[in-house]
Amino acid sequence: MIIRLQRLLPVTLLLLWLSGCAVQPPVPSDTSLTQEISERNQQLSALNKWKILGRIAFIQANKRESASLNWLYEQDLQDNISQRLDLTAPLGINVLHLESDNNRHILEVDGEEYHSDDLDGLIYSLTGLTLPTRALSYWLKGLAYLPQDKLSYDKVTRLPTRLTSLYDNRLWSVEYQNYQLVNQHRLATKFSITQAELNIKILVKKWTL
């Protein structure tokens, strides 16, 4: 069963939001954000608990969908991962609710609960959306998920500008924009994630560490 999110998310609202996320002309690098690559990687690898609030959009050739994003993520010293994610449509309608604990996932859509240990497959089977859930928690911090992931860096600030990955044998590309200093951590707030004809745009309004 494919759940059509566009029934809940008017395309006009998506277009209005995307107009504010359109690619802007390059701006000079903010030298105050400069940080050595190895120092940043070490610092952000130790960042195991965070929360983001913002907007997310899924753009494909035949459909466009968007929602508010609320994602809380935590990894303990034993590498157990717990997370809570909500996608909310305009007027506060909850489109998708996820709770995960140590690779056990509960996904709620349209009031129905679904359980699986394969989160990527579960989300796709219910919504038709492809999400690189395991890698995304790394990519949002500007870190490689796989050893083969390749990162490009700004020549001045040494912050990530682009990442490419063969996650699940599919070529993914992540572009980073608009870095901010959050509790001494340099974190991007605009992301464009592309795989084939799918483009995922994320606008983070608030990082909480």
Side-chain angles (χ1 to χ4, degrees), residues 2 51 56 64 95 110 112 115 141 149 152 163 200:
I2 303 298
K51 179 180 179 180
I56 187 168
R64 298 168 179 252
V95 177
D110 281 355
E112 298 289 336
H115 300 248
K141 296 189 293 183
D149 288 357
S152 301
L163 178 147
I200 304 171

Side-chain angles (χ1 to χ4, degrees), residues 20 48-49 58-59 70 111-112 134-135 147 162 164 172-173 209:
N48 292 324
K49 184 176 182 179
F58 304 91
I59 306 167
N70 184 334
E112 298 289 336
R134 287 167 289 155
R162 189 169 185 265
T164 56
W172 291 84
S173 173
L209 310 182

Side-chain angles (χ1 to χ4, degrees), residues 145-199:
Y145 174 69
L146 301 173
Q148 301 85 358
D149 288 357
K150 296 181 179 179
L151 281 148
S152 301
Y153 298 91
D154 184 90
K155 293 180 180 179
V156 176
T157 65
R158 309 305 293 153
L159 298 176
T161 57
R162 189 169 185 265
L163 178 147
T164 56
S165 175
L166 284 175
Y167 176 84
D168 277 356
N169 295 315
R170 298 179 179 182
L171 179 61
W172 291 84
S173 173
V174 185
E175 294 184 0
Y176 300 88
Q177 291 184 350
N178 195 30
Y179 279 87
Q180 294 183 3
L181 194 61
V182 183
N183 295 353
Q184 302 306 311
H185 296 75
R186 292 148 178 86
L187 295 164
T189 58
K190 286 186 179 182
F191 306 84
S192 180
I193 304 169
T194 304
Q195 193 279 314
E197 295 184 355
L198 171 66
N199 181 222

Side-chain angles (χ1 to χ4, degrees), residues 13-23 57 59 64 66 199 201:
L13 291 176
L14 171 65
L15 295 176
L16 285 172
W17 175 68
L18 288 177
S19 67
C21 297
V23 176
I59 306 167
R64 298 168 179 252
S66 75
N199 181 222
K201 289 185 178 290

